[in-house]
Amino acid sequence: LASPLDMVTRFFSAAAALFVAWPTLLASAVVSPPQLPVERACGENEASRGCVGARRGPRGWWAQVHDKVFYPPPTSMLELSHDISDYYYAVGHPSALTDDLRAHRVAGAGLYHIFHLPGGASTLRLPSEGGRRAAFSPLTQLRAGTVLGDFPLYSAAVNYTNPLGPSQRELEQTMVAEVTPALFGETLRDITSIGAGGVATRSWENAEASKAAVDHLQNQFLAFGLSSCVDKFVHAGKQVANVIAMIPGTASAHEALWMLAHYDSRPFQGPAPGAEDNGSGVTAMLIAAKLAAANGVQPAKDIMFAAVGGEEAGLLGSKQLVPELQRGVPGFRQQLASGPPQKFEECQHASGSFLQRQEKRVGFNSAIVFDEVGWASPKRAKRTVNFETFDTPKTSAIMQHLAHANVDHNGAEMALEHSNNPFGSDHMPFLNNDEAAVLIINSDDSDYPFYHKSGDTFEQVDLDYGVRVTRMALAGMLRFASFDATTMVA
């Protein structure tokens, strides 16, 4: 038998442990709200035993997320509303859920999350401009019969008209043929070799490595015969830089198509070769610039090539860039279009900014954004790429050019899907400022096993996949940039 002293010691030890654990237990209680009733949905060839076949019944409305069917709460559950208009969903990685978000999350599966918001969508603030695992799409009100699952396949429209003339189409064929695994691999290997002190990294927290990345990008543009400038700014005491080059368009409206990829990598400390994220995207952008310059492309729109910094710290580069673009025609446009090719240490300033201060110009900038375009998901029967954006006439035009370019140059080798719940990459500052932008990203990007790890090396990248994405994007770029806003038909 334990002595009285032992019993007292055990009592106080247990009390101390409870005291330490109490905040965690309390938090758990706060962030675990009641959940909507759920049943498993039957598969296509599955008997309706232990699952829901017709997804309906006497319970009222229903909504399906992957293989789960959710229903209104029973009348005894007073904490949750029976009105479906009080429920909203968003798309994002579960790791982005904060305690506040968990306190409102009442259903979901995978990347889909259903929130109970009887006060309306404005009562819950979702992070929208972080990275892929730190942000969510905007809230969408749930509707009866909603089915959320794998993103739907995206098809090329039958009534599409290629805007290029015969000679331009021949040029497109020539340029696409020059995108090879050897070119993609050589360009990517150079990017993943950038670093400092013998460590491969492009972390925005490493000033020496960041400077090496900027130098490499400017040297690449110069080798292509393009001038480039560096837009520098400071965030949290650290310098961030965007590297910008241009092929000037012939249209007087100075409408621009941005081919954009972030060059910084993670982890923030230690080796961060960032091959898939986002050396693959930078590679696609650089190849598009190289071949457009080498083949003397003369577009109607300005084609802007941008490698932006600080994406991994919260889309810093693109958030700095987009609002400035809307203040007027870029001051660096003339800087980059004049004289022999050269490296400018800074983008030209005008009236207190590197951009000319004019009226706010909305709708003159569009973007094709590359982020993680080198990994083919093993879940898919064929290589699949995701177009992520809001559905608008202009983004639909961009996607249709890309989709038909994919058919023309990849045939049936690469499938397309589309999510209209965008989040977590450099397309968001464009979309949030009413500019058209389409993110090209490999499907199932949340499943990439080396995301933000030192193991994200050159060997993890599927070069053939990267080549097919680059061919599609290059041809889509030529088609969309071949006409200006005054002649565009969505």
Side-chain angles (χ1 to χ4, degrees):
L1 293 176
S3 68
L5 180 60
D6 288 339
M7 294 177 66
V8 170
T9 301
R10 293 176 184 175
F11 171 80
F12 281 106
S13 296
L18 180 61
F19 179 80
V20 171
W22 179 249
T24 301
L25 295 173
L26 183 61
S28 175
V30 170
V31 300
S32 298
Q35 301 291 291
L36 290 176
V38 60
E39 294 185 24
R40 185 173 63 85
C42 294
E44 290 184 6
N45 301 315
E46 186 178 7
S48 59
R49 179 180 299 176
C51 59
V52 183
R55 299 196 300 265
R56 61 179 181 268
R59 305 188 189 189
W61 58 263
W62 58 268
Q64 181 173 338
V65 182
H66 291 297
D67 64 345
K68 302 179 185 297
V69 181
F70 297 95
Y71 297 100
T75 55
S76 59
M77 187 181 290
L78 302 179
E79 300 91 338
L80 298 182
S81 170
H82 290 257
D83 186 348
I84 194 171
S85 66
D86 290 337
Y87 295 89
Y88 298 77
Y89 71 88
V91 178
H93 197 274
S95 63
L97 288 168
T98 63
D99 286 349
D100 185 45
L101 298 181
R102 292 181 188 278
H104 294 87
R105 186 184 184 277
V106 295
L111 299 179
Y112 293 100
H113 311 273
I114 297 176
F115 301 97
H116 180 229
L117 303 172
S122 62
T123 61
L124 186 66
R125 184 171 182 176
L126 294 176
S128 65
E129 294 189 341
R132 291 300 286 178
R133 302 191 187 184
F136 290 93
S137 68
L139 289 164
T140 300
Q141 194 166 53
L142 195 65
R143 297 184 182 278
T146 295
V147 178
L148 304 172
D150 293 339
F151 300 138
L153 293 177
Y154 188 81
S155 301
V158 176
N159 61 347
Y160 171 81
T161 300
N162 188 329
L164 302 182
S167 62
Q168 292 174 311
R169 295 186 190 191
E170 184 177 344
L171 177 62
E172 177 184 299
Q173 290 285 352
T174 299
M175 292 173 61
V176 167
E178 294 174 353
V179 183
T180 63
L183 176 59
F184 195 94
E186 177 185 0
T187 308
L188 175 62
R189 194 176 291 278
D190 287 345
I191 294 168
T192 57
S193 298
I194 295 171
V199 177
T201 180
R202 303 184 305 281
S203 168
W204 85 291
E205 292 189 354
N206 188 317
E208 183 180 352
S210 295
K211 183 180 184 304
V214 169
D215 289 343
H216 175 77
L217 291 162
Q218 283 205 288
N219 288 335
Q220 288 288 289
F221 286 129
L222 186 63
F224 303 159
L226 298 176
S227 292
S228 65
C229 67
V230 183
D231 171 27
K232 304 173 184 177
F233 61 99
V234 175
H235 177 83
K238 296 180 175 63
Q239 181 172 280
V240 188
N242 297 333
V243 183
I244 301 170
M246 178 184 70
I247 292 179
T250 58
S252 59
H254 299 320
E255 187 182 7
L257 170 63
W258 290 79
M259 304 293 283
L260 184 147
H262 78 86
Y263 64 84
D264 56 314
S265 63
R266 291 189 67 171
F268 292 138
Q269 305 296 326
E276 154 71 344
D277 184 17
N278 186 35
S280 62
V282 176
T283 295
M285 182 274 293
L286 286 177
I287 290 176
K290 176 178 183 175
L291 297 183
N295 287 278
V297 169
Q298 294 182 317
K301 295 180 177 70
D302 295 337
I303 303 179
M304 313 299 301
F305 301 97
V308 297
E311 189 269 356
E312 302 291 7
L315 316 185
L316 301 182
S318 53
K319 286 167 67 175
Q320 168 78 9
L321 175 65
V322 176
E324 293 292 328
L325 294 177
Q326 295 186 330
R327 294 176 184 153
V329 177
F332 56 71
R333 186 186 186 281
Q334 184 65 30
Q335 179 186 19
L336 296 177
S338 303
Q342 58 186 300
K343 299 187 296 183
F344 294 99
E345 292 186 3
E346 293 187 5
C347 288
Q348 183 172 300
H349 290 246
S351 302
S353 169
F354 80 97
L355 298 175
Q356 296 172 352
R357 300 302 183 185
Q358 300 177 5
E359 289 184 3
K360 186 172 182 179
R361 299 170 78 248
V362 178
F364 286 83
N365 292 277
S366 305
I368 295 175
V369 177
F370 303 92
D371 195 355
E372 300 179 49
V373 295
W375 179 73
S377 171
K379 293 181 178 179
R380 306 302 177 116
K382 67 169 62 176
R383 294 179 175 91
T384 306
V385 68
N386 180 21
F387 295 161
E388 188 179 282
T389 186
F390 294 129
D391 290 323
T392 69
K394 205 167 187 179
T395 59
S396 294
I398 296 172
M399 289 191 290
Q400 278 300 307
H401 287 310
L402 291 169
H404 280 272
N406 181 57
V407 172
D408 292 343
H409 301 295
N410 292 323
E413 295 299 315
M414 191 167 74
L416 307 176
E417 64 183 19
H418 169 46
S419 168
N420 61 359
N421 292 284
F423 69 99
S425 192
D426 286 307
H427 56 326
M428 296 310 300
F430 284 88
L431 295 174
N432 289 341
N433 285 281
D434 299 317
E435 303 289 358
V438 175
L439 172 67
I440 300 178
I441 188 168
N442 42 230
S443 295
D444 304 322
D445 64 281
S446 62
D447 292 337
Y448 179 57
F450 299 101
Y451 179 78
H452 288 178
K453 296 180 181 179
S454 297
D456 183 10
T457 60
F458 178 89
E459 291 72 24
Q460 307 303 329
V461 173
D462 182 334
L463 298 182
D464 186 66
Y465 181 95
V467 164
R468 294 186 184 281
V469 171
T470 305
R471 287 174 176 171
M472 173 189 69
L474 176 62
M477 174 195 79
L478 293 175
R479 299 179 189 194
F480 187 73
S482 67
F483 50 89
D484 63 20
T486 61
T487 62
M488 188 183 77
V489 178

